[in-house]
């Protein structure tokens, strides 16, 4: 199947700073089996986005290993990584998700084009996903003509359109009202349950925490399996 | 390549139309200048080739005399005694008619056949040689006649000749366009008629021959002393050499324009890449491979390069027409007589321009393309860290610049004989200066900040910091401006030095008060030169008369200009570079030595103590080189003898120039007395000292018109570069500036900040450009000019030029900053904040 098993082994991530390197993640280990819906909570600045970047192979750990289906990501070339992301991973970022010079529909089409699916069938598929996130009437809009929440929904459609085995989402519902947030969440949950995709999501919202299989929380660079009361506010 | 990404790139360009247009304009101007110069240089060459081919025809050899002319009986003997069939006599001379100077070529109708086939039949298929046997009858091309409104039977009044008072157009020559272009100033006449018109009865300039190896040997053995047999091919190559330096100099300037144009493409594309780092990061996280982003950037380079090149070709064609006439005028002033209309457009030039434009655009896109390919997926790299990286690279840029400068120095040293290598070295120095600009700018801004801190200039400090904070953009802008301004300074100083030296030389050389110039019509009109000189010496108020003759001697290795001088009772008015003045003058007077002009000595590698061998009517003779003198009159140089020695050696009684020194205080009364001679003799021109100096400097300035035009174009391209980079900078900062406005900055405050910043950048560019420009000028004066033309000159560091350049730099920068400043305050704050 398409789903992915994630494993972090003693991962440390440091950022260079004016006063030397600063560790955001320290010796973090975790194991997320296929098809699981895992949620990441923590205060702002605790390192959620950093961890998601590592899981999504967008960044390399300073120390330790990230394994996807048992394979060390560090051993893959840039091109192999690109192909991996192209075919098997979907992303929803916290900010600036879209290509500003492509329309909403074209943004959703992009992952299909990259996997050599084009033509009218791909267009129908992309339009269909736009409709599912509630933007079926705005395919020709450019990102700057969309609100923050609308942009985020286009990003969700783009992340799901090629049915990835791993979906990495960084506060995908942060800008949405409760109802819309719920329907977007349902779409992702659906992918996870029906297709058996693995879903890793950073969030502050308690609704999401409620439906997750598993909740991780980050604090002071360490990862624990239980949610902290402070995070659900 | 992803079609969607291509589309995204195109839309990005179209959303920044000014940026896009500026870079297209940069490429276009660069290509236009290269193409224009190529067409002009090629046109001059073609015109020259065409006119040479017309005159030389299919001759393989020419028998030329060491005397100015040879007796036509030698021609008859050559045919009769030696039985050479393919031989034709030629007499060449100048003739003034209808207010214009023509080259008159006398030919023998019956011998012409194998040489110049176009003389066989005229425009209407009539045997035209027959028509020409009537005295005073000439032929010209149909095109030349049409241009002057003449036709068969028209009469053109002769300006100052003796016998017939008008030329009659006896026939028109039918030539294809290419050949007729070279024949615009040519008149053909039958030999007898030409001899009469030129006052050369019984005389020939040369004999044209078609010979095989065997025939060559036979003719060589037979030829009487004083005649030399010279292959025409050798002449062609020496004439080609003559204009080569001139052409290479033009080419180098045009390539500089292209270089600056490439800079513009580079700066635009790197702006496009930097500005889309988040977009590229997103694309990478969706699985776009680095190679795709690389190719995508090259594709965008073509979006700039293709329209830029096409527009450039159109502009270049227009520019080519203008430059061709400038080039031809210069060639006409300096080298040989060309009277041609501009030649057509060579398809090869178009192809070259196309490849050069596209190639340069693609090449300039490589660094930004690499940058794009290296974008990390969903890069967390902030603008600040990009700038940090640039700042870390500063020492490397400086080191690279210094290494390149060193390479340039090596090239300049190695290229003593090669102009191409010398120019490559010069280019390396220019690029090195561009590389050193960002580190130099950072250092300057740091100093400014320190000064402002001590002096308390808050806005200055903010402005200086702003320049350093976005060095990735400001560095490019200032580098473009630095290159342009240093070119302006370098070329400006070179021309000023050159002009100063020429002026000084004219002052030293032109010591007589008045001059007569004498041409062929003088003797043709029956006047005797020596009698005329004697007459002049008797005019009341004349203190002294000097005489000179100039003549081109055709030799086995090209033409040698002889300059024979009789300084009268005065000293020789030349300045020696080499040799002891006393010995040199003594050997000059007794005819044992020859004095060489600097270009002549340099081109032939001769120094004092060497010998120079020249053909004379009594066979080849050698002279000891006893002195080398400064002379800017020709870059071919000349060999100087005393008039007396020249006359006895080459049997040439002619004179070309007469100088007259007035007695104390008699100058003004003398002038009308001398002018009265003009009416009595044909072929005289009269001028006072000051007028000659004036005319000489005018020719000098005309020679450098084209250089100045190109310099201007380079400056224009660089200005576009500055404008484009500054605009890029402001666009990037719209969000930041909008935030400043949102927190309460006034538009005036913002304008002050932006203009302060661009002004500082202009000042920085100007300050960096001054030393670079001075170095360039020194290289041009001491290396390039010396190697191109063989002239050494005094270096003059005109403070005016330096001051103007600095001012120009600041004004250009302020102008370039004005528009983005205006735009910034016009952008609604909310829209600015929304901008990614
Ligand atoms: N590229 C970077 N360079 C330096 N420090 C960084 C970089 N990216 C993130 N950081 C720092 O790492 C820490 C964790 O950042 P991260 O974005 O992972 O937090 P987060 O948990 O996602 O926060 P939020 O909920 O606000 O999105 C922060 O203190 C941030 O300042
Ligand atoms: Mg985050």
């Amino acid at each position: 199947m398409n789903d992915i098993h994630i494993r972090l082994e003693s991962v440390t991530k440091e950022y260079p700073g004016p006063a030397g390197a600063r560790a955001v993640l320290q010796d973090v280990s975790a194991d997320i089996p296929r098809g699981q819906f895992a949620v990441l909570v923590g205060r702002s600045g605790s390192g959620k986005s950093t961890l998601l970047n590592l899981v999504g192979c967008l960044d390399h750990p300073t120390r330790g290993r990230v394994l996807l289906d048992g394979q060390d990501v560090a051993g893959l070339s840039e091109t192999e990584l690109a192909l991996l992301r192209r075919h098997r991973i979907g992303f929803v970022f916290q900010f600036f998700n879209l290509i500003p010079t492509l329309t909403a529909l074209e943004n959703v089409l992009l992952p299909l084009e990259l996997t050599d699916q084009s033509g009218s069938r791909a267009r129908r598929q992309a339009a269909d996903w736009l409709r599912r996130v509630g933007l079926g009437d705005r395919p020709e809009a450019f990102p700057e003509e969309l609100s923050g929440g609308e942009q985020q929904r286009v990003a969700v459609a783009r992340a799901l359109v090629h049915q990835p085995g791993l979906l990495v989402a960084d506060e995908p519902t942060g800008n949405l009202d409760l109802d819309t947030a719920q329907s977007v969440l349902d779409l992702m949950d659906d992918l996870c349950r029906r297709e058996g995709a693995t879903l890793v999501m950073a969030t502050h919202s308690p609704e999401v925490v409620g439906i997750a299989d598993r909740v991780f929380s980050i604090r002071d660079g360490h990862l624990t399996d239980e949610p902290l009361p402070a995070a659900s506010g | 390549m992803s079609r969607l990404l291509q589309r995204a790139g195109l839309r990005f360009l179209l959303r920044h139309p000014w940026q896009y247009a500026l870079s297209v304009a940069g490429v276009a101007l660069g290509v236009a200048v290269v193409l224009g110069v190529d067409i002009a240089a090629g046109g001059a060459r073609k015109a020259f080739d065409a006119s040479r081919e017309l005159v030389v025809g299919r001759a393989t050899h020419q028998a030329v005399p060491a005397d100015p002319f040879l007796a036509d009986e030698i021609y008859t003997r050559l045919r009769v005694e030696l039985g050479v069939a393919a031989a034709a006599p030629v007499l060449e001379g100048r003739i003034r008619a209808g207010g214009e100077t023509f080259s008159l070529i006398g030919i023998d109708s019956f011998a012409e056949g194998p040489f110049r086939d176009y003389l066989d039949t005229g425009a209407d298929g009539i045997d035209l040689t027959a028509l020409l046997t009537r005295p005073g009858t000439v032929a010209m091309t149909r095109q030349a006649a049409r241009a002057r409104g003449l036709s068969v039977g028209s009469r053109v009044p002769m300006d100052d000749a003796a016998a017939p008072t008008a030329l009659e157009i006896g026939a028109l020559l039918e030539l294809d366009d290419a050949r007729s272009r070279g024949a615009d100033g040519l008149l053909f006449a039958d030999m007898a008629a030409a001899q009469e018109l030129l006052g050369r009865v019984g005389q020939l300039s040369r004999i044209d021959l078609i010979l095989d190896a065997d025939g060559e040997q036979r003719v060589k053995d037979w030829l009487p002393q004083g005649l030399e047999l010279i292959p025409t091919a050798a002449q062609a190559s020496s004439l080609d050499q003559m204009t080569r330096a001139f052409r290479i100099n033009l080419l180098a300037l045009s390539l500089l324009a292209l270089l600056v144009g490439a800079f513009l493409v580079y700066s635009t594309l790197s702006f496009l890449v930097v500005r889309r780092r988040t977009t590229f990061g997103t694309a990478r996280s969706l699985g776009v491979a680095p190679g795709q982003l690389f190719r995508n950037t090259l594709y965008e380079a073509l979006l700039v390069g293709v329209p830029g090149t096409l527009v450039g070709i159109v502009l270049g064609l227009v520019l080519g027409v203008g430059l061709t006439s400038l080039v031809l005028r210069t060639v006409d002033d300096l080298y040989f007589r060309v009277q041609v209309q501009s030649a057509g457009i060579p398809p090869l030039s178009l192809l070259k321009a196309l490849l050069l434009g596209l190639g340069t655009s693609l090449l300039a896109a490589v660094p930004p393309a690499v940058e794009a390919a290296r974008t990390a997926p969903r890069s967390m790299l902030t603008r600040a860290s990009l700038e940090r990286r640039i700042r870390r690279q500063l020492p490397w840029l400086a080191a690279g610049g210094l290494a390149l400068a060193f390479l340039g120095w090596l090239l300049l040293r190695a290229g003593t004989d090669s102009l191409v290598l010398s120019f490559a070295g010069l280019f390396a120095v220019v690029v090195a200066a561009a590389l050193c600009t960002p580190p130099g700018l950072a250092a300057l801004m740091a100093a400014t900040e320190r000064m402002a801190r001590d002096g308390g200039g808050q806005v200055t400090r903010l402005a200086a910091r702003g320049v350093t904070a976005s060095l990735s953009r400001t560095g490019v802008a200032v580098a473009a401006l630095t290159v342009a301004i240093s070119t302006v300074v370098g070329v400006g100083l070179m021309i000023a030095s050159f002009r100063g030296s020429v002026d000084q030389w004219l002052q030293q050389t032109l010591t007589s008060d008045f001059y007569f110039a004498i041409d062929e019509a003088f003797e043709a009109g029956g006047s005797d030169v020596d009698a005329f000189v004697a007459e002049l010496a008797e005019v009341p108020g004349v203190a002294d008369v000097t005489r000179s003759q100039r003549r081109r001697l055709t030799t086995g290795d090209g033409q040698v200009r002889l300059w024979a001088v009789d300084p009268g009772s005065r000293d020789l008015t030349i300045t020696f570079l080499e040799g002891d003045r006393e010995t040199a003058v003594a050997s000059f007077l007794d005819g044992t030595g020859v004095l060489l002009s600097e270009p002549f000595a340099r081109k032939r590698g001769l120094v004092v103590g060497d010998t120079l061998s020249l053909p004379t009517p009594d066979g080849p003779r050698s002279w000891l080189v006893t002195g080398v003198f400064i002379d800017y009159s020709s870059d071919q140089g000349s060999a100087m003898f005393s008039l007396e020695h020249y006359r006895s050696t080459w049997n040439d009684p002619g004179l070309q120039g007469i100088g007259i020194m007035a007695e104390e205080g008699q100058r003004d009364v003398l002038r009308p007395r001398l002018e009265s001679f003009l009416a009595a003799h044909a072929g005289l021109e009269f001028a006072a000292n000051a007028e000659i100096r004036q005319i000489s400097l005018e020719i000098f300035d005309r020679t450098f018109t084209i250089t100045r035009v190109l310099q201007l174009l380079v400056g224009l391209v660089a200005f576009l570069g500055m404008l484009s980079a500054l605009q890029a900078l402001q666009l990037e900062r719209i969000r930041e500036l909008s935030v400043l406005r949102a927190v309460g900055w006034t538009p005036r405050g913002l304008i002050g900040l932006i203009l302060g910043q661009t002004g500082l950048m202009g000042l920085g560019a100007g300050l960096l450009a001054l030393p670079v420009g001075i170095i360039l000028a020194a290289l041009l004066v001491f290396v390039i000019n010396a190697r191109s033309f063989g002239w050494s000159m005094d270096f003059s560091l005109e403070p005016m030029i330096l001051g103007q350049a600095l001012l120009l730099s600041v004004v250009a920068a302020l102008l370039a900053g004005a528009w983005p400043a205006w735009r910034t305050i016009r952008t609604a704050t909310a829209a600015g904040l929304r901008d990614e």
Side-chain angles (χ1 to χ4, degrees):
Chain A
M1 271 295 291
N2 205 13
D3 46 345
I4 292 179
H5 170 207
I6 303 156
R7 200 179 156 86
L8 305 180
E9 290 182 353
S10 308
V11 166
T12 296
K13 179 68 190 177
E14 293 170 353
Y15 285 118
R22 202 166 61 90
V24 175
L25 299 176
Q26 268 172 7
D27 201 15
V28 168
S29 296
D31 196 82
I32 306 170
R34 303 162 182 244
Q36 199 168 56
F37 182 172
V39 156
L40 201 54
V41 294
R43 286 175 201 274
S44 170
S46 58
K48 299 184 295 294
S49 300
T50 304
L51 187 66
L52 288 187
N53 285 338
L54 293 174
V55 167
C57 312
L58 296 178
D59 205 354
H60 295 288
T62 316
R63 280 181 296 279
R65 303 203 297 168
V66 178
L67 302 151
L68 292 190
D69 285 345
Q71 171 153 50
D72 189 350
V73 172
L76 297 176
S77 72
E78 270 303 318
T79 314
E80 285 167 330
L81 280 174
L83 290 176
L84 177 69
R85 284 194 293 267
R86 185 183 296 183
H87 291 284
R88 301 187 61 193
I89 308 181
F91 292 94
V92 181
F93 299 111
Q94 196 171 359
F95 316 105
F96 305 137
N97 270 295
L98 306 176
I99 310 265
T101 44
L102 292 181
T103 62
L105 184 70
E106 287 167 343
N107 262 290
V108 179
L109 261 173
L110 195 55
L112 294 177
E113 197 204 56
L114 286 171
T115 50
D116 288 326
Q117 306 168 55
S118 48
S120 57
R121 209 171 131 240
R123 288 187 83 82
R124 265 205 311 281
Q125 209 175 328
D128 190 40
W129 274 100
L130 267 189
R131 202 176 34 71
R132 287 207 229 171
V133 295
L135 287 167
D137 52 341
R138 316 264 321 261
E140 297 306 325
F142 280 98
E144 62 185 13
E145 297 160 351
L146 296 171
S147 77
E150 286 167 339
Q151 289 183 26
Q152 215 160 19
R153 280 184 277 156
V154 176
V156 170
R158 189 186 60 193
L160 296 178
V161 69
H162 63 310
Q163 312 262 310
L166 168 63
L167 182 63
V168 178
D170 198 346
E171 300 194 32
T173 56
N175 288 329
L176 305 179
D177 62 277
L178 275 181
D179 281 352
T180 320
Q182 193 57 52
S183 69
V184 166
L185 212 55
D186 286 344
L187 284 172
M188 288 192 275
D189 191 41
D190 192 43
L191 175 81
C192 185
R193 308 279 172 224
R194 269 222 316 254
E195 312 284 340
T198 313
L199 173 54
V200 185
M201 184 187 295
T203 187
H204 289 291
S205 101
E207 291 81 24
V208 181
V209 175
I211 56 168
D213 294 333
R214 186 118 165 251
V215 180
F216 291 100
S217 79
I218 310 186
R219 185 176 196 175
D220 300 332
H222 299 288
L223 194 66
T224 50
D225 235 331
E226 279 124 343
L228 292 175
S232 44
Chain B
M1 211 174 8
S2 158
R3 284 221 332 272
L4 282 173
L5 281 184
Q6 276 180 20
R7 199 182 299 167
L10 179 61
R11 283 195 192 133
F12 192 82
L13 279 178
L14 295 178
R15 279 193 192 180
H16 298 86
W18 282 99
Q19 213 65 43
Y20 189 26
L22 282 176
S23 56
V24 169
V27 176
L29 271 181
V31 168
V33 171
V34 173
L35 179 62
V37 165
D38 199 36
I39 289 179
R45 193 185 186 150
K46 243 171 63 182
F48 168 65
D49 283 348
S51 73
R52 205 188 80 86
E53 196 226 288
L54 285 168
V55 177
V56 172
R58 277 196 282 278
T60 60
H61 292 75
Q62 296 180 334
V64 293
D67 284 333
F69 298 95
L70 66 113
D72 54 12
E73 134 300 309
I74 293 186
Y75 164 69
T76 325
R77 275 174 49 207
L78 186 75
R79 286 195 85 121
V80 178
E81 285 177 25
L82 210 61
V84 176
V90 177
L91 176 65
E92 275 184 279
R94 305 276 179 81
I95 195 168
R96 290 191 55 80
E100 206 181 329
T101 303
F102 291 95
S103 287
L104 178 68
I105 299 183
I107 42 141
D108 177 350
S109 330
F110 301 108
E112 270 308 309
F115 289 89
R116 284 161 279 261
D117 54 1
Y118 55 87
L119 292 174
D120 268 354
T121 46
D124 310 308
I126 343 160
D127 178 12
L128 110 195
T129 46
L131 282 176
L132 290 179
T133 44
R134 248 185 311 144
T137 309
V138 296
M140 69 190 335
T141 66
R142 174 184 285 285
Q143 288 90 335
R146 199 186 308 129
R148 291 168 179 77
L150 302 173
S151 59
V152 172
S154 300
R155 295 176 69 79
V156 186
M158 302 255 299
D159 288 1
D160 45 20
T165 51
L167 296 175
E168 186 186 329
I169 308 296
L172 296 181
L173 302 178
E174 194 66 21
L175 258 64
D176 57 52
D177 274 353
R179 290 209 289 180
S180 78
R181 279 190 201 101
D184 191 61
L186 293 185
L187 295 178
F188 294 90
D190 184 68
M191 184 57 77
Q195 285 176 336
E196 194 180 330
L197 281 169
L198 295 170
R200 294 283 167 203
V201 176
Q203 291 181 316
L204 301 177
S205 298
R206 58 168 206 261
I207 302 170
D208 282 358
L209 296 153
I210 298 176
L211 297 173
D212 53 17
D214 182 43
E216 179 179 352
Q217 197 52 50
R218 273 176 53 222
V219 173
K220 231 181 207 153
D221 293 342
W222 179 86
L223 273 186
Q225 201 145 68
L227 276 178
E228 264 195 88
L229 190 66
I230 291 166
T232 49
Q235 277 185 25
S237 80
S238 91
L239 282 167
D240 186 55
Q241 282 294 319
M242 209 150 95
T243 49
R244 189 167 160 267
F246 179 67
R247 281 185 279 121
I248 291 184
N249 271 287
L250 288 185
L251 179 70
L253 258 178
S254 70
L255 286 179
L256 190 63
L258 191 69
L259 181 76
V260 181
F263 217 64
L264 214 65
V265 177
Y266 162 77
S267 119
T268 305
L269 288 176
S270 64
F271 157 76
L272 294 180
V273 167
V274 170
R275 205 161 142 69
R276 280 181 300 170
R277 272 172 338 118
T278 17
T279 304
F280 288 161
T282 305
R284 289 278 284 117
S285 65
L286 293 177
V288 173
Q292 279 177 301
L293 287 180
F294 183 86
R295 285 193 298 276
N296 210 50
T297 308
L298 291 191
Y299 163 77
E300 284 164 16
L302 287 182
L303 291 180
V304 174
V306 170
T309 305
L310 293 181
V311 173
I313 284 178
V314 174
L315 285 179
L317 293 178
V318 177
L319 190 66
V321 174
L323 289 183
T324 303
S325 68
L326 275 179
V327 167
L328 287 182
R329 204 163 62 186
T330 303
V331 168
D332 190 77
D333 279 340
L334 297 187
Y335 300 102
F336 41 76
R337 194 139 185 86
V338 277
Q339 269 201 350
V340 284
Q341 298 124 14
S342 63
I345 300 133
L348 200 67
S349 292
L350 291 183
L351 189 69
K352 257 195 292 192
L354 192 72
L355 292 180
L356 219 54
L358 296 182
T360 310
S361 308
L362 284 178
L363 217 60
V366 168
V370 169
E371 183 72 34
R374 275 174 37 188
T375 315
R378 195 52 193 174
S379 161
M380 291 290 115
L381 202 67
T382 55
R383 177 64 196 272
S385 62
L386 170 78
E387 295 299 339
R388 248 201 307 277
R389 203 179 72 203
I390 299 263
R391 243 163 291 155
R392 268 204 308 275
Q393 286 171 349
L394 286 183
W396 291 107
L397 273 181
L402 290 181
L404 202 61
F406 181 67
L407 178 75
W409 180 73
L410 285 183
L411 283 172
L412 283 162
R413 271 194 52 145
T416 31
D417 301 322
S418 159
L419 260 191
V420 175
L421 275 190
S422 303
F423 272 114
L426 197 72
F427 266 58
V429 172
V430 172
V431 177
L435 284 183
C436 287
T437 300
L441 185 67
L444 274 179
M445 288 305 122
T448 311
E449 232 183 297
R450 261 199 309 280
M451 261 158 38
R453 192 175 48 213
D454 299 340
Q458 180 64 32
V459 175
T460 315
R461 235 178 90 195
L462 253 182
R465 184 166 305 160
V467 172
T468 329
S470 32
L471 210 56
S472 65
R473 316 253 47 88
T474 53
V476 176
V478 174
L481 197 60
T482 303
V483 166
I485 300 289
S486 56
T487 315
V488 169
V489 171
V491 175
L493 284 180
M494 183 270 282
I495 296 180
S497 301
F498 202 168
R499 198 176 198 277
S501 303
V502 167
D503 195 20
Q504 194 190 355
W505 166 76
L506 284 171
Q507 270 176 41
Q508 280 166 2
T509 314
L510 299 175
T511 49
S512 295
D513 294 311
F514 301 104
Y515 292 89
F516 278 109
I518 301 174
D519 68 29
E520 280 137 1
F522 188 83
E523 275 179 80
S527 305
D528 177 352
V529 193
D530 285 331
F532 178 59
V533 170
E535 214 178 319
L536 281 176
E538 297 305 314
V539 174
V542 170
D544 192 20
V545 180
T546 65
R547 298 173 294 165
S548 68
Q549 166 71 322
R550 284 179 186 271
R551 172 162 173 235
R552 288 182 195 183
L553 199 61
T554 307
T555 74
D557 39 36
Q559 289 197 330
V560 174
R561 290 169 184 238
L562 299 182
W563 185 20
V565 178
D566 165 25
S569 58
R570 277 173 287 161
D571 273 345
L572 267 182
T573 57
I574 54 177
T575 309
F576 283 94
L577 282 172
E578 263 182 61
D580 169 53
R581 188 173 178 104
E582 224 155 287
T583 21
V585 172
S587 74
F588 162 82
L589 291 173
D590 66 21
T592 52
V594 60
L595 309 181
L596 303 182
S597 81
E598 187 193 7
F600 189 94
R602 269 192 209 249
K603 287 203 169 133
R604 312 228 167 186
L606 292 171
V607 292
V608 169
D610 289 343
T611 53
L612 173 71
S613 174
L614 294 173
T616 76
D618 306 321
R621 245 188 89 174
S622 296
W623 286 265
L624 187 65
V625 176
T626 54
V628 175
F629 59 93
I630 295 180
D631 179 50
Y632 298 111
S633 63
S634 141
D635 69 354
Q636 300 313 300
S638 42
M640 186 194 242
F641 294 96
S642 75
L643 185 68
E644 203 182 339
H645 182 63
Y646 166 78
R647 284 187 163 185
S648 65
T649 310
W650 278 281
N651 309 327
D652 174 17
L655 280 188
Q656 209 195 43
I658 297 172
I660 292 144
M661 191 73 155
E663 277 170 2
E664 244 351 268
Q666 296 286 299
R667 203 146 45 150
D668 294 337
V669 293
L670 189 54
R671 181 169 187 139
R673 288 181 203 153
L674 293 176
E675 278 173 345
S676 67
F677 282 98
L678 287 175
H681 301 274
L684 275 186
E685 273 177 66
F686 178 78
N689 182 316
E691 293 156 15
I692 296 205
R693 243 178 82 194
Q694 173 83 28
I695 292 170
S696 305
L697 288 177
E698 265 167 26
I699 292 184
F700 178 89
D701 291 337
R702 210 150 69 200
T703 306
F704 280 100
T705 309
I706 184 159
T707 314
R708 287 185 203 274
V709 168
L710 293 184
Q711 186 193 9
L712 199 78
L713 287 174
V714 172
L716 187 63
V717 181
F719 175 70
L720 292 183
M722 181 85 183
L723 192 62
S724 147
L726 279 182
Q727 223 176 294
L729 182 66
Q730 296 312 336
L731 278 174
E732 269 173 31
R733 296 177 62 211
I734 277 189
R735 194 178 157 85
E736 172 196 336
L737 294 171
S738 302
V739 172
L740 283 180
R741 280 181 74 185
V743 299
W745 275 58
T746 60
R748 278 179 69 169
L750 285 182
I751 291 180
L753 188 65
I754 295 173
L755 289 188
Q757 229 166 56
T758 52
L760 268 180
M761 285 161 69
L763 194 65
L767 286 178
L768 292 171
L770 291 188
V772 178
I774 292 173
I775 292 174
L776 284 186
L779 289 178
L780 286 172
V781 165
F782 296 122
V783 183
I784 302 289
N785 261 310
R787 285 179 195 168
S788 303
F789 306 110
W791 284 312
S792 59
M793 51 192 90
D794 296 330
F795 191 70
S796 70
L797 205 60
E798 294 259 344
M800 265 297 273
I801 292 183
L802 301 182
Q804 278 170 358
L806 206 56
L807 193 69
L808 179 71
S809 178
V810 173
V811 170
L814 285 180
L815 272 179
W819 194 74
W822 184 77
R823 246 199 78 151
T824 305
I825 58 158
R826 284 277 310 236
T827 309
T829 311
L833 283 172
R834 224 185 135 96
D835 199 88
E836 190 192 321

